[in-house]
Amino acid sequence: MTMIEVLNTDVLVIGGGPAGCWAAWNAVASGLDVVLLDKGYVGTSGATAAGNTTTIYSRRGTSERAASVAQRVRLGHAFAEPERVERVLDRTHENLDLLAGWGYDFPSYDDGRPYRGMLRGPDYLRFMRQKLIKARVRILDHHPAEELLLSDGSAAGAIARSRRTAEALEIRAGAVVIATGGCAFLSGALGTNNLTGDGYLMGAEAGATLSGMEFSAQYGISPAYSSVTKGVVYFWGTFSDEDGNILAGVGDRQSIVAEALLRGPVYAVLDKAPPRLQEGFRRGQPNIFMPFDRLGIDPFRDRFPVTLRHEGTVRGTGGMKINDRASTTVPGLFAAGDAATRQGMSGATTGGGGPNASWAMATGSWAGEDASKYVKSLGTHWRSRTVERVTSSPLVRTARENPDVHDVIEAVKRQTLPLERGFFRSSQSLGEGSAALRDLWQDQSWRWSRSAKVREAEALIATARWATESAILRRESRGLQRRLDYPDMNPSLARRIDSGGTDSIWSAFSSSHQSLSKAS
């Protein structure tokens, strides 16, 4: 098929959230030509754009920094790496200072001093968009990437498609950065509806390895009638059942709420927050309170129903395996933000707001820098190299959307979202999920049309399969991996699990001890 258009660029960045924006900035600052693709609109798509986010702003050697690193290590369950955390926070400090130098309007303390531990998501990304435009980064909004291009096993660009015209676009590049975010399995959590694991699938098709996918079972507490999963306010909450009995138990807040939700409705009231903190919450996280205000509920005095919404790898840990910066296992391919595994930063648990936002800044910057160095190392010959697509599916898109794909997506959600399958796991539930997801992947009947929705469905299935097979292999409970049949942590299993493949999924411990490796 004759391509509608061909673009050439030095560095292609896929995904326009914070990690993608920082990657694009650092690449263009290196003097290279950069194209930034997003399936939505750079500045409004993704989880960060939907609300405010905290950051970690501290200097190495201070007590504040030491406390932040110690917390990451303590919560990481033997997977967080102190020096990597230090380097991430070093780069975050540098980037936040850079933002201030550019004129970003940070929030302020009461005495007027700028507070760099908070970013207003919409303002932050709009600011970054304008910065990139002024730097002459070519931004292509509403152009979902469909697959990567390879040249002798190295990343060499991607195929994208305009949502408006449905025309295919071939983008040839010296290096590719995947910053497409994580996957929340269309759970309805705020800002996650376009985060369907697309980058994971494109990377795996090109041969990239993933890691830590079993640590994807992150659920956020939210009002039952809201999509907002900002969890910080619930530190000051009291939870109860329908009859008003206070919930108590062993484990973290989410686990206690999850167990109670399996029995019936759960309610919360933020009655432990003092007045000054209440005011701070409303000023710092206004989107949390909009649903309450519309319903005439005072969450600091009135009980309200809550639920748990799946946040997956958006706030969980798994993603593409990278080196100590941002290089994947495929030459010329780099990963940043939620697209890259955060085990070195967050270990086996969620990084929440600050750690994850810091990770996006640092890995995005490193990805842009290292992609630029890689392109420069190629010399000029890369522009004439032969490229090939990684899949054999036709580029022609049919005029009709395939209705069956919606049923497939709902089937994936049934295997991933329910608490008894996603939050709590067992050999039985994982085995059933493995078989069901394998059948969905092997079924070709719903793929008769090629569309962005079909690719999203494929990415959802693949992501769920990597998470499921990795969870089967990890026969213990650790962090976000909660096995009912293996309720204890096993010190001998403090080893990372890698995974990959598409038609044939594989998972294996990344150390030399491979006796429990499993293929599906």
Side-chain angles (χ1 to χ4, degrees):
M1 172 185 175
T2 302
M3 301 299 299
I4 300 299
E5 185 178 358
V6 177
L7 284 181
N8 286 281
T9 188
D10 295 317
V11 177
L12 171 63
V13 180
I14 306 174
C21 286
W22 282 107
W25 165 256
N26 280 276
V28 78
S30 298
L32 298 186
D33 183 55
V34 180
V35 169
L36 174 60
L37 286 178
D38 196 279
K39 67 196 267 189
Y41 182 87
V42 175
T44 64
S45 66
T48 298
N52 295 350
T53 183
T54 57
T55 61
I56 301 176
Y57 183 72
S58 62
R59 293 184 183 276
R60 189 184 283 244
T62 63
S63 58
E64 292 85 358
R65 170 65 69 84
S68 294
V69 175
Q71 183 183 46
R72 288 296 97 212
V73 173
R74 176 175 59 83
L75 296 175
H77 297 290
F79 285 95
E81 304 164 24
E83 180 54 30
R84 188 188 292 248
V85 177
E86 289 274 17
R87 291 191 301 104
V88 167
L89 299 186
D90 287 344
R91 191 55 185 258
T92 301
H93 190 280
E94 178 183 332
N95 284 9
L96 289 170
D97 283 349
L98 191 60
L99 278 172
W102 289 339
Y104 177 76
D105 185 19
F106 280 95
S108 299
Y109 290 102
D110 291 341
D111 61 7
R113 289 179 297 119
Y115 174 58
R116 294 183 187 171
M118 172 75 75
L119 291 166
R120 296 178 299 272
D123 294 349
Y124 169 36
L125 289 177
R126 182 169 61 248
F127 186 90
M128 290 298 295
R129 179 186 177 93
Q130 293 305 313
K131 190 69 179 176
L132 295 176
I133 290 173
K134 291 177 182 177
R136 299 189 182 278
V137 171
R138 287 183 285 175
I139 297 177
L140 299 180
D141 299 307
H142 307 297
H143 275 74
E146 294 186 347
E147 61 181 291
L148 295 183
L149 299 173
L150 293 178
S151 179
D152 292 328
S154 298
I159 300 293
R161 191 179 299 273
S162 167
R163 287 192 183 276
R164 183 176 63 85
T165 66
E167 293 179 347
L169 176 66
E170 181 179 291
I171 305 172
R172 298 189 179 190
V176 178
V177 176
I178 292 183
T180 50
C183 179
F185 298 102
L186 298 176
S187 66
L190 184 66
T192 66
N193 277 356
N194 65 341
L195 303 177
T196 49
D198 308 2
Y200 300 153
L201 178 59
M202 287 187 286
E205 288 173 335
T209 296
L210 296 98
S211 188
M213 294 302 290
E214 72 273 28
F215 301 130
S216 59
Q218 166 62 21
Y219 286 69
I221 300 173
S222 79
Y225 38 72
S226 170
S227 62
V228 179
T229 54
K230 298 286 186 179
V232 62
V233 296
Y234 296 103
F235 281 103
W236 288 269
T238 298
F239 296 91
S240 57
D241 63 18
E242 192 166 20
D243 296 328
N245 299 308
I246 303 301
L247 300 184
V250 178
D252 57 27
R253 218 168 28 257
Q254 272 89 342
S255 294
I256 293 172
V257 171
E259 290 177 357
L261 281 170
L262 293 176
R263 299 191 298 267
V266 173
Y267 295 80
V269 58
L270 309 180
D271 55 345
K272 299 175 183 177
R276 184 174 177 81
L277 192 57
Q278 295 178 25
E279 179 185 351
F281 282 151
R282 283 192 170 276
R283 188 170 60 248
Q285 301 283 357
N287 59 346
I288 293 177
F289 298 95
M290 290 177 62
F292 296 122
D293 294 342
R294 289 171 178 166
L295 294 171
I297 294 173
D298 180 354
F300 301 107
R301 297 176 54 186
D302 306 329
R303 286 203 317 160
F304 55 92
V306 296
T307 189
L308 287 171
R309 299 197 187 280
H310 204 310
E311 297 174 310
T313 58
V314 176
R315 291 192 178 90
T317 294
M320 276 185 281
K321 187 174 184 177
I322 57 174
N323 66 358
D324 61 351
R325 285 173 62 92
S327 298
T328 72
T329 55
V330 175
L333 182 64
F334 304 84
D338 298 349
T341 181
R342 266 191 297 265
Q343 289 174 101
M345 180 72 182
S346 301
T349 57
T350 176
N356 289 2
S358 301
W359 176 257
M361 280 191 176
T363 55
S365 298
W366 294 331
E369 290 173 348
D370 292 356
S372 299
K373 291 177 183 177
Y374 180 84
V375 174
K376 292 175 181 179
S377 74
L378 296 177
T380 58
H381 79 279
W382 70 263
R383 292 182 179 274
S384 60
R385 61 184 174 176
T386 301
V387 302
E388 59 182 3
R389 295 166 51 218
V390 299
T391 73
S392 59
S393 55
L395 286 172
V396 177
R397 204 156 116 180
T398 62
R400 290 185 300 138
E401 179 65 80
N402 182 357
D404 296 337
V405 72
H406 300 286
D407 294 334
V408 170
I409 290 173
E410 289 303 311
V412 178
K413 292 166 68 174
R414 287 194 295 272
Q415 297 300 325
T416 55
L417 301 185
L419 296 177
E420 61 271 23
R421 288 189 173 275
F423 195 97
F424 298 112
R425 294 163 166 168
S426 68
S427 294
Q428 179 177 344
S429 66
L430 289 168
E432 292 170 351
S434 175
L437 293 165
R438 182 181 62 244
D439 290 346
L440 285 173
W441 181 266
Q442 293 176 348
D443 183 4
Q444 297 296 317
S445 65
W446 55 274
R447 291 183 170 100
W448 55 262
S449 71
R450 182 178 179 85
S451 67
K453 188 61 67 175
V454 167
R455 284 298 277 171
E456 284 185 348
E458 290 179 333
L460 288 166
I461 297 170
T463 303
R465 294 185 73 196
W466 294 314
T468 298
E469 302 308 324
S470 297
I472 290 173
L473 187 55
R474 184 167 295 286
R475 297 170 188 167
E476 64 165 350
S477 290
R478 182 187 297 264
L480 297 177
Q481 161 84 335
R482 310 173 193 89
R483 287 285 297 261
L484 297 177
D485 46 349
Y486 294 96
D488 300 321
M489 188 185 302
N490 184 343
S492 69
L493 296 183
R495 295 178 286 162
R496 297 184 181 184
I497 291 178
D498 295 341
S499 56
T502 53
D503 290 335
S504 179
I505 299 292
W506 62 267
S507 61
F509 283 100
S510 58
S511 72
S512 59
H513 302 289
Q514 301 286 316
S515 59
L516 292 178
S517 64
K518 181 179 184 297
S520 173

